[in-house]
Structures are given as C-alpha cells and as structure tokens.
C-alpha cells in the first residue's frame, strides 16, 4: 500500500557529494539519524526500524528497500513543512519518531491513543506557540510531560528554504515538569523562545490562526468566529503581511476620519453659538467697561499700600538701630572696668576643672585595677574547681577498676558454668504431640462457642418476642382503661376516624421534647363542648379534616413533624397546620348582645373550649367566631335581617345556613345555601363498647400466656449456655496449660542450642573487661599529669593575684590625694563667685538690655523684609498697568494720604450703577478669544480631514482590489468544492462604511429548492456546517502561505455520504489529483479509475498534467487530517501518507510483532489468492 507508512527511525544521510560513499558505510551509520537535505529526503535505513511504541525492529522483519522505493511518492516538502518528528516522554508517548509526507497526511487511531498530542500539541509546543491555550488541551507546559516522568523532549525537523538554509532546520524543545519551563535549541545550538518564533514566522507558520491550525478543542471556537474575525484570519492565511498592514491602516485612518468629522461638526456648532452670544452682549459690555476703569484705579491704589508701609517700617528700624549701638557701647565700657576682678575667678575655675579631670582619670584607674583583681580571682577559683574534678576523675577510675575486677570474677564463673552445661546430655522433646493436643482442645472450644452463639440468637429472639407481647399487654390494658374515661373514649374515636392520625398523635405525645413549643393534637382529643344541646350544630360546622388537624406553633416544628410523619413513619392520611396567630385576632362581626335581634343565642366559638392555638386554627379554617347558633328556627323577618346584615353563617336546631355575597354585582346579589344539621358523633356521651372490652381482655390473657412460655424457653436456653461456657472454659484452661508447657520446653531447646554462642559472648566480654582494666591505669596516669600541670598554673596565677592587689592599693592612694585637692578647689571657686556676685549682676542687666534692643531692631528689620517680599510678590504678579503705576508712586506719600485717596475713588464708584453679572466683561473677552481659536482650529481640521480622506482613498485603491481578487479565487474554489458534493456555495466580502466591519460572507445551499443563505448556526445543521468549514479551509489550500495546516477530527460531524465526498475532494486538492482518482481503497487494494483490481507490481499511475504536478510538487502545502475512524473504500492518492497510531498498555514487548507494512503485504497476498480461486 503506497500510502501506508509505519513511523520509523531514519539513518543519517550524507550530502549530495557523499551519497556514493554512503553505501559502504551503511553498517556503521545504521544507528544514526539522517540529516535531511533541503528537499526533505533521506536514504532510509531498514536495519533499525523504530515502531510507535519506541522499539527497534529486527533486520529480518523489515520490508525490503526496493519495495518501499517503488511505492514512495516523488513529491517534495515545501519550505517550512514538517519532515520529521521525534518525541520522548511526551503526553502518552514514551518514545516515537515518524515522518510526515509533503502533501496530505491522514493520522488514524482510536480515541485515547494520542492523535491530537502527536500533531496538535507537539507542533504547537515545538514551534514555541505564544500561548499554550492555542493548543486547546492544557494551560501549563508541564502538563505535556508524560505521567511519572520529569521531562519531555520534542524534536521537529522543518524543510529548508533553499534561498536561506543549507540544510533542514531542527527545532528541539525540552519541557521540565518541576519548574514548568521549556528550553529550546535550533540545529543543536541553545536558543530561546523568541528565536524559535522568529524562525517559524519566516516560514509563515501561524499556530494561532484557526484557518491554518484547527485543533479538536478549537473547532467550536472556529465555528463561533464572527465574519469579521474570519476575514482577518483568511488574510493572515492567504495574503501577504502588507495586506494585513493596509487593512489595519484603513481601520485606523477611518477612525481618525470619523473623529475629525465629529470634531469639525462640534466646533462649527460651538462657533455659531459663541458668535450669537457676543452680538447680544456687546452694548452691556461697553457700559460696564467705564465702571471697570474706576475699579482699576482703586485696584492700583490698594496695591500701593505695601510701599507706604515699607517707608514707615524703614524709618522705625533706623531709629531702633541707633539706640542698640548706644547700649552696646555702654556694655563694653563696663566690661573693661570689671575685667581684673573676673580674671581671678576664671583662673580658679580652670584649676578646678583640671583637678576634677585628674580625679576622674584616677577613679577609672582604680576600676580597671579592681576588674583585673576580680579576673585573676575567678581564674584561681576555676583552677581550684578543676583540681577537684581531676581528683573526682581519679576516684571514678579507681571505682571502675574495682567493678571491672568483680565483673571478671563473675564472667569466669559463667564461662565455667556454660562449659559444664554444654558437656551434659539433653533429653529429646516432641513438639508435634503438644500441637495435636492443643488443636483438639481448640476444636472442642469452637464447637461449644458455636452452640453458644446459636443459643444466644435464639435467646435474643425469645426476649424480643416476649417484650413485644408485654408491650401489647400494656397497650391493651391502657386501651381497656381508656374505654372507661372521657379522654380514652375520644382517642378511641380518633383511632376509628383515622388510624394514621391516631398513630401520629401517639408519636407526638411520646416525643414532645423534640419540638421548640408544644404540638397540639386534633380537636377530637384537645377540645370539648360546653353545652351538649349544641353539639349537633357545632359538628355540622366542622369538616372531618378540621377535626383531625394537628396544630404546630412554629414553622420549624411544622417542617420537622411533617418530615417525620411522611418520610419516617410513612403515614398518608395526615393533616398538619402551622398556627402562630393569637385567638384574640379573630373577632365576631356583631357584638354578642345584638344577636337576639337575629334570633341567635351566641357564636359557635362560645360553646367550645380547648387550647388557644387549636381554637385559633378552627377559627381560621371554619370561622367559628363568625358562625351564629340559634335554638329555634329562623323566621322570615330574621332571615331577611340576616341576609342584609354582616352575618354570613348560622345554624339552628334543624338547618345550617350560609350566605354568599357578590360585591361586584351590587348589594342585592346574594345566594343562600341551606343544609340539614347532621347527628353528632365526636363529642357525645356513649356507653362503653362491651365487645371491644371483651376482645381486649381475651388478647391480654393470650399474650400473657405466650409471654410465660417464652420466659421458660429463655431460662432453659440460659442454663444450656452456662453449661457450654463452663465446658469451653475448662477446655481453654487445658489448652493454655498445654501451650505453657510447650513454650517451656521450646525455650529449653532454644536455650540449649544457644549455649555455644552464649559461651563465646561471655568469653569475649571477659577479654574486653581485662582490656578495660589496662585502659583504666592509663587514664589514671594521664589524670596525674594534668594535676601536675594544674598545680604549676595555680602557682603562677597566685603570684599574678598578689601583684594585682598591690597595684590596686597604689591606685586607691592616688585617688584619695586627687579628691582632697578637688575639695579645696571647690571651696576657692565658691568664695570668689560669691565675692563678685554684684559685678556679675550688673553685667547681666546690661547684657539683657543689649539683647532687648537687638531683638527690637531685628524684629523691625524682619517686618521691613516681609513688606519687601510682599512688594516683590506684587511686582512679579503685577500686570503692565500696575508696573506703570508703581513707577509713578510719590516718594513722600504716607499711608494716611494713600487711604484718603482710596476712599475718594470708592465713593465715586458707589455712585455708579453696578451690574448683577460681574463676570460679563471677562466672559465677553474670553468668548472673543475662544471664537478666534475655534476659527483657526476649524481651518486646520478641514485641511487634516482632506489629507485623511486622500490617504484613505490611496490605501483602499491598493487593498480593496487585491482583497476582491483573493476572495474571488477562494469563492471560485469553494463553489467548485461544494459543486462536487451536489451543493452550491460562494464567498464574498461584506463591505461597510467602517473597515472594522468588513467581513467574509459565506453563502451555501445544500438543497436544490433552497436559495443561497449565509452560513451560521441557525440555518444549517452541524454536519452541513462541518462540510462548509472543511471546504472553506480547502479553498485556501492553493493560496495559503503557511507550509502546513492541521485539522483535528473535522469529519466527525458529517454523515457517511458527506464524509466520503469531502474526503475525495480533500485528496484531490491536497495531493493535486483530479476529481476522479486512481488510487487504493481502504483495504489496501490497488484500483484503477474503472475500479479494476491491479495485480502486484502494476503501477497506479495517473494520466495527464495533474498527475505529473502531483508527483512533482504535491497539491499545495502540507496537510494533516486527524480522525479516530474512516469509512471503508475511501479514495487514496500517491501523494498521501497514512500515519497509524499503535499505542496502549497492551503493546507487545517484542517490537517486530507490530509491523504495518508486513500486515499490508499479507492482506494483499490473501486477496490475490482469493481472486485466483
């Protein structure tokens, strides 16, 4: 089968110049991989054929080279197409290498064998896709490493571009699980992801373009692409980068054009508005400007205030400086007069400081001497402690020696004893007899325990049945007692009315503690009638469900009880109601004292008693507070009064009345329902049921007799159990005694066997102890040497201590001398200071006066400087008018004169009328300036708009015709493809005003009666969309700029007919073959165009230029179609290559058992034999 290829390892191929020498070195280079030439071909080696499970086939099990040469296609790989792929520990693969063909590659294998991983994942990761998400299978690269492994390797060999490469580029990718990183190399040299991406871009490999790279998990994403996105992807697939750049420029220029147009319109409207407002305010502004002149004069005068303030501050500062200098001269004269008296005090103070410093130095010397004495003293104590430790070590060694001598005596006695025991004879012990006797006792124990278990089960059954009988007796006795009580009679009536409600009420009574508040039983047992003459009337008002309703006071209790009764107890006829309202909320429509005029004696609620929640429940359901009772029939007058009154329900002795009013039809729209009063059955006093009493008494007697019989049987079983337990204990004691004896004798045998080893151990211990005595003597001698050394060191340290103590005494004497001199200096200084106190006070007073004058002068200077700074700020911020005014300020003008002039101008200003809108002039001037700016900007934007339109037209004239041409070619190919399968289709460009909205428009027709309709998810089925998608992708084949394209399981949504037609068309386009192909069917048989089976050796050549083109160049770029299944008898062509995935846990250990070539040859041989027969 010429298209079936088993993944194999290639041998290393030599270059063109070395091909003749390659055959002589085939044996040595068989294990090496071929380096392919620029056409993607290599000299294959069949000595080491590697299969998909990573094994190497034997020489005798491979196909002959001549057979493969006769089947190989002569087409060449386009630059950038995939020539070879090698994997290690990648996803599901341990090790594999395969060689894709230059045209159509069919990747076939069951689900789960790694088809998508083979191409989709490894190509995406091996070519350093910018985003792992493009692959559709993982988010982190570490997920591509096979489970249980730490790293994966990918090697992809691409066909070289003859103009740029001397040999095929090889990209390698190493993925580490630990740090989730991947590293790359190109042609064996370390590289980075950016370099790999640039290399792929140079071959126009676009992993993120769904028109070229469509993984299985991205099919839905491709189908969901908008027509706008499809146009961009199509341009990326078939158009040069210049087309994409022009499209982007068109969109950008269009956005700028729209932005400029919007700005021109907005500015034009704003200009007209501003001009209209200027014309309306011109007169008002003229009048207001005259007032502004006066205001400006006031502003200039007020701004001049700091100048007058500065002149006054400067004069005050000059006067204060003169006073300060006079006081300083007085201070200097005084200091010269008292200088001789102060000189003696200063000299004595200097002497005092020197003595004080000397005293501090001598104190430090005393402290240092004391520290040295303490240090030497601590060393003496340490040496003394060390001496005691050494003496203790000597005593310990001597004690150890004594113990060792005792141990020697003991060990010598043990050696003699063990030798004697070894020489004594020993009796034989039969352990098997003990084992048999122990097993016999075990069987007796097991037999007794089995009988005990059976009897205990029987005893448990008897006890359970006895308890059941006793419970029945107790219940029957309670029922018997209840027959004679009112409560018991009511519960009996409840049991008769509804057994499920009776069981529910019994459970509630026994489990009231499980609820938040008390749960009340049905009115039958909870309520009573105060007047038995009214019992018939009351029961007529109440329905059976109301009489059987159990009332809960909280929602939680209601939910809990409902779940228990229905889910756990499985009770069906149950009525529950949650009632949280108070009884006083239910008020009658008429006061009780007015009922007589209606012929009624009271309300139904007045004749019943019971718990408030139960009575509130009855009022809510039966409206007892609004139902009246009467002891006589209703007269016509009373009926008419009732019919027109607020009472809607009442009961007499014989009849029950209910009035229904329809308010929407007026006050006269009423209807009356009358029914007979029924006989009461619930709240009645009836005699005890003797039949029921007799049945209960008979049941009690029978159950008591059965309980007595069961107790007797239980007592007999207990006695038998005690006997069996006693027998089991005796057997167990005997078995334990046998085990103890067996263990004793086994220990005796073990001890006897261990005597030689014990003797060796004791002799070894004896030798070790003797050796330790010699070591003790050596250690004692070593300790004695240390004691001698310690004695010498103690003597030296004692001498050092004596010298340190003498030095400390000398330092103390020097300190005492310095302290006496310090006391004398303190006394002299104090005397002189007291003597010159009056002189110092006079100097201090004069100095304070100098400081005060200096401070005043400085404050005036600071004030003047602040005024200067204020003036500088005013000058910096002053406009031209202020600057001119400042130059003309009179130098002799005072602050008072300036304030008078300001007041005069303000008085003139007050006499003039002031406008309410103080910002009119400013707004007028700003508006005038804004009008000028808008006019200039409008001119600039109109020029810019003209330039943008000119640029837009120039780019569109180059881009649109080329786009129409490319889409026309795609449409032509798409229409032909659809026509081949009996359908119709065309592709066009949907053109809008905005280039961002330009889109690809695909129109298809799958039935003759239909018109061409847009391709979307609403009009076509999934299979029809799949057919249209694959045909659109195939229409890009002849125009595509990508060296290879991948489609994963696109045929899975098609019916068999469409799949067969699409496959045939795909083969024709990808392999460059005509519509009707000579090829082979799915079973590996060769057929010609007429369907005749070809004999082995015949060539399936195709006639015409198309076949020649296919053989030489293929049908376009390299194509990968991944699928888990194919229909039988599909069309195959010479340019195709089928890659069959053989993977899984059941792969054979021997690689030569998996050989697809041999399987094909065997199948063809069998078919030829069948044909001959």
């Amino acid at each position: 089968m010429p298209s079936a290829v088993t993944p194999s390892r290639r041998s290393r191929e030599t270059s063109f110049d070395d091909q003749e020498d390659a055959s002589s070195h085939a044996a040595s280079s068989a294990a090496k991989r071929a380096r392919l030439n620029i056409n993607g071909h290599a000299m294959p080696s069949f000595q080491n054929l590697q299969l998909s499970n990573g094994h190497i086939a034997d020489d005798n099990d491979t196909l002959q080279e001549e057979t493969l040469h006769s089947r190989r296609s002569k087409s060449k790989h386009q630059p950038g197409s995939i020539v070879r792929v090698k994997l290690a520990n990648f996803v599901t693969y341990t090790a594999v290498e395969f060689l894709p063909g230059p045209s159509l590659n069919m990747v076939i294998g069951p689900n789960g064998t790694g088809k998508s991983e083979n191409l989709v994942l490894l190509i995406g990761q091996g070519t350093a896709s910018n985003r792992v998400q493009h692959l559709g299978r993982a988010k982190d690269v570490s997920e591509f490493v096979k489970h249980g492994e730490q790293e994966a390797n990918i090697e992809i060999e691409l066909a070289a571009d003859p103009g740029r490469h001397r040999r095929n580029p090889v990209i390698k990718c190493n993925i580490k699980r630990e740090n989730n990183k991947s590293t790359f190399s190109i042609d064996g040299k370390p590289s980075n992801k950016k370099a790999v991406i640039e290399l792929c871009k140079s071959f126009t490999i676009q992993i993120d373009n769904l028109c070229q790279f469509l993984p299985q998990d991205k099919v839905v994403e491709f189908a969901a692409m908008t027509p706008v996105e499809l146009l961009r992807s199509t341009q990326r697939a078939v158009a040069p980068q210049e087309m994409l750049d022009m499209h982007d420029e068109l969109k950008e220029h269009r956005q700028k054009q729209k932005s400029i147009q919007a700005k021109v319109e907005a500015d034009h409207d704003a200009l007209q508005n501003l001009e209209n407002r200027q014309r309306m305010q011109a007169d008002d502004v003229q009048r207001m400007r005259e007032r502004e002149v006066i205001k400006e004069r006031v502003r200039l005068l007020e701004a001049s205030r700091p100048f007058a303030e500065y002149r006054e501050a400067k004069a005050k500062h000059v006067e204060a400086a003169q006073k300060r200098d006079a006081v300083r001269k007085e201070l200097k004269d005084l200091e010269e007069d008292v200088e001789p008296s102060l000189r003696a005090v200063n000299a004595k103070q200097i002497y005092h400081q020197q003595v004080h410093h000397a005293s501090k130095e001598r104190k430090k010397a005393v402290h240092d001497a004391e520290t040295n004495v303490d240090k030497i003293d601590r060393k003496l104590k340490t040496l003394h402690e060390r001496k005691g430790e050494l003496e203790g070590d000597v005593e310990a060694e001597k004690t150890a020696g004594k113990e060792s001598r005792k141990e020697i005596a003991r060990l010598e006695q043990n050696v003699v004893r063990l030798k004697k025991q070894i020489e004594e004879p020993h009796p034989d012990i039969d352990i098997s007899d003990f084992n048999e006797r122990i097993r016999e006792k075990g069987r007796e124990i097991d037999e007794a325990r089995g009988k005990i278990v059976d009897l205990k089960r029987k005893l448990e059954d008897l006890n359970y049945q006895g308890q059941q009988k006793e419970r029945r007796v107790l219940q029957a006795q309670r029922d018997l007692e209840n027959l004679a009580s009112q409560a018991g009679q009511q519960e009996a009536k409840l049991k008769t009315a509804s057994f499920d409600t009776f069981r529910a009420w019994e459970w509630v009574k026994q489990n009231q503690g499980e609820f938040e508040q008390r749960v009340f039983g049905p009115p039958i047992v909870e309520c009573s009638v105060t007047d038995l003459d009214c019992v018939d009337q009351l029961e007529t008002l109440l329905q059976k469900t109301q009489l059987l309703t159990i009332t809960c006071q909280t929602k939680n209790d209601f939910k809990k009880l409902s779940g228990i009764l229905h889910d756990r107890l499985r009770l069906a006829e149950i009525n529950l109601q949650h009632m949280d309202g108070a009884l006083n909320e239910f008020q009658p429509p008429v006061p009780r004292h007015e009922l007589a005029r209606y012929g009624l004696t009271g309300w139904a609620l007045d004749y019943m008693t019971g718990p408030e929640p139960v009575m509130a429940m009855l009022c809510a359901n039966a409206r007892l507070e609004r139902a009246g009772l009467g002891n006589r029939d209703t007269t016509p007058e009373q009926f008419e009064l009732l019919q027109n009154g607020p009472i809607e329900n009442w009961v007499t002795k014989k009849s029950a009345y209910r009035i229904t009013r329809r308010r929407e039809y007026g006050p006269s729209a009423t209807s009356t329902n009358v029914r007979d009063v029924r006989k009461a059955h619930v709240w009645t006093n009836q005699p005890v049921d003797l039949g029921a009493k007799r049945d209960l008494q008979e049941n009690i007697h029978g159950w008591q007799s059965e309980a007595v019989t069961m107790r007797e049987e239980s007592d007999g079983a207990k006695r038998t159990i005690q006997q069996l337990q006693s027998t089991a204990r005796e057997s167990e004691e005997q078995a334990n005694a046998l085990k103890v004896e067996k263990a004793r004798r086994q220990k005796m045998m073990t001890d006897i066997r261990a005597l030689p080893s014990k003797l060796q151990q004791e002799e070894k211990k004896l030798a070790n102890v003797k050796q330790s005595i010699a070591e003790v003597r050596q250690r004692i001698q070593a300790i004695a040497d240390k004691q001698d050394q310690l004695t010498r060191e103690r003597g030296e340290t004692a001498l050092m201590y004596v010298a340190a103590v003498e030095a400390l005494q000398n330092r103390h004497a020097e300190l005492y001398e310095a302290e006496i001199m310090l006391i004398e200096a303190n006394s002299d200084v104090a005397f002189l200071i007291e003597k010159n106190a009056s002189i110092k006070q006079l100097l201090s007073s004069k100095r304070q006066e100098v400081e005060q004058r200096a401070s005043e002068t400085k404050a005036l200077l600071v004030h003047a400087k602040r005024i200067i700074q204020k003036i500088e700020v005013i000058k910096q911020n002053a406009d031209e008018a202020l600057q001119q005014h400042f130059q003309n300020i009179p130098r002799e003008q005072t602050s008072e004169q300036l304030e008078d002039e300001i007041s005069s101008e303000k008085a003139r200003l007050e006499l003039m009328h002031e406008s309410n809108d103080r910002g009119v002039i400013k707004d007028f001037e700003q508006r005038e300036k804004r009008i000028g700016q808008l006019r200039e900007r409008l001119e600039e934007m109109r020029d810019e708009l003209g330039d943008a339109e000119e640029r837009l037209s120039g780019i569109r004239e180059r881009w649109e015709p080329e786009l129409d041409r490319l889409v026309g070619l795609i449409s032509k190919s798409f229409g032909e493809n659809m026509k081949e399968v009996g359908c119709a289709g065309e592709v066009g460009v949907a053109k809008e005003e905005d280039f961002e909205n330009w889109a690809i428009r695909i129109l298809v027709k799958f039935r003759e009666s239909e018109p061409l309709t847009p391709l979307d998810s609403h009009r076509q089925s999934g299979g029809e969309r799949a057919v249209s998608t694959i045909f659109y992708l195939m229409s890009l084949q002849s125009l595509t700029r990508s060296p290879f394209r991948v489609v994963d399981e696109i045929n899975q949504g098609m019916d068999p007919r469409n799949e067969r037609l699409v496959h045939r068309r795909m083969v024709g386009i990808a392999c460059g073959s005509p519509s009707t192909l000579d090829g082979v069917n799915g079973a590996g048989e060769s057929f010609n165009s007429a369907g005749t089976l070809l004999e082995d050796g015949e060539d399936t050549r195709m006639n015409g230029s198309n076949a020649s083109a296919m053989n030489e160049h293929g049908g376009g770029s390299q194509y990968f179609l991944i699928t888990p299944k194919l229909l039988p008898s599909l069309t195959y062509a010479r340019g195709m290559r089928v890659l069959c995935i053989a993977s899984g846990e059941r792969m054979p250990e021997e690689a030569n058992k998996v050989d697809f070539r041999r399987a094909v040859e065997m199948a063809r041989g069998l078919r030829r034999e069948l044909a001959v027969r």
Side-chain angles (χ1 to χ4, degrees), residues 401-417:
K402 293 178 182 179
E403 294 296 329
S404 297
R405 293 186 185 93
K406 293 179 181 180
E407 182 67 13
I408 289 172
R410 186 184 66 79
L411 291 173
E412 288 176 346
Q413 292 177 359
N414 290 343
V415 169
V416 173
R417 178 176 55 81

Side-chain angles (χ1 to χ4, degrees), residues 900-914:
D900 291 341
E901 189 174 356
I902 292 173
S903 299
S904 175
E905 292 295 333
K906 286 185 176 180
R908 290 178 59 200
L909 187 64
E910 290 177 355
L911 295 175
M912 298 183 68
H913 174 71
E914 181 178 6

Side-chain angles (χ1 to χ4, degrees), residues 374-390 790 793-794 797:
D374 293 339
K375 180 180 179 181
I376 297 172
D377 182 60
R378 287 195 298 271
K379 184 175 181 181
L380 281 173
K381 291 179 180 178
T382 301
L383 293 174
H384 181 73
E385 293 174 356
R386 180 60 180 157
K387 177 186 175 185
E389 292 176 358
L390 292 175
L790 184 62
E793 190 174 353
R794 289 181 63 197
T797 306

Side-chain angles (χ1 to χ4, degrees), residues 970-979 983-987 1002-1006 1012-1013:
I970 295 171
S971 179
K972 181 179 179 182
S973 178
F974 181 72
E976 291 175 356
N977 291 337
M978 295 292 288
K979 184 177 180 182
C983 304
E986 65 179 36
V987 180
I1002 301 176
L1003 301 177
V1004 295
K1005 180 174 72 172
F1006 287 90
L1012 287 171
T1013 57

Side-chain angles (χ1 to χ4, degrees), residues 1041-1055:
R1041 298 172 55 83
S1042 179
F1044 62 84
R1045 307 175 70 228
V1046 178
V1047 179
D1048 190 3
E1049 298 192 18
I1050 192 65
N1051 61 328
Q1052 297 309 299
M1054 303 180 190
D1055 56 55

Side-chain angles (χ1 to χ4, degrees), residues 682-700:
V682 176
W683 291 294
T684 58
N685 290 326
Q686 296 180 351
V688 175
D689 188 350
L690 297 179
K693 180 179 180 181
R694 184 168 53 256
D695 291 340
L696 288 173
Q697 290 173 345
E698 291 177 355
N699 289 337
I700 290 170

Side-chain angles (χ1 to χ4, degrees), residues 41-183:
H41 294 297
M43 298 297 292
S45 173
F46 300 98
Q47 298 177 1
N48 291 312
L49 182 65
Q50 185 175 6
L51 303 179
S52 60
N53 60 358
H55 296 292
I56 307 299
D58 296 334
D59 295 344
N60 297 329
D61 296 325
T62 58
L63 298 177
Q64 295 299 322
E65 185 175 356
E66 294 79 1
T67 304
L68 290 179
H69 274 303
S70 65
R71 303 300 187 188
R72 180 170 290 125
S73 170
K74 297 181 180 180
S75 59
K76 299 179 181 179
H77 287 79
Q78 291 187 6
S81 60
I82 298 175
V83 177
R84 179 181 58 84
V85 176
K86 183 178 180 180
L87 307 175
N89 298 326
F90 184 78
V91 193
T92 61
Y93 295 95
T94 302
V96 67
E97 185 176 21
F98 61 93
L99 312 173
S103 297
L104 180 61
N105 292 273
M106 305 289 294
V107 183
I108 305 174
N111 288 326
T113 56
K115 301 181 301 302
S116 298
E117 287 82 351
N118 245 338
L119 291 172
V120 176
L121 298 183
L122 70 90
I123 292 175
Q125 183 60 27
T127 55
S129 173
N130 283 326
R131 295 188 301 164
V132 180
Q133 287 82 351
H134 288 149
L135 311 182
R137 290 292 179 101
K139 294 183 178 179
D140 297 325
V141 294
S142 60
E143 298 181 29
F144 298 144
V145 181
K146 184 178 179 181
H147 180 69
E149 302 295 337
Q150 295 303 315
E151 65 177 16
N153 292 291
I154 303 171
E155 183 176 335
I156 299 178
E157 184 172 348
L158 304 177
D161 184 354
R164 294 185 296 139
H165 306 100
R166 298 179 57 189
R167 57 184 182 179
N168 291 341
V170 177
I171 301 173
K172 292 185 179 180
C173 175
N174 177 264
I175 305 173
K176 299 287 187 182
R177 181 189 296 276
E178 182 177 0
N179 54 6
N180 192 31
K181 298 291 184 181
S182 57
T183 58

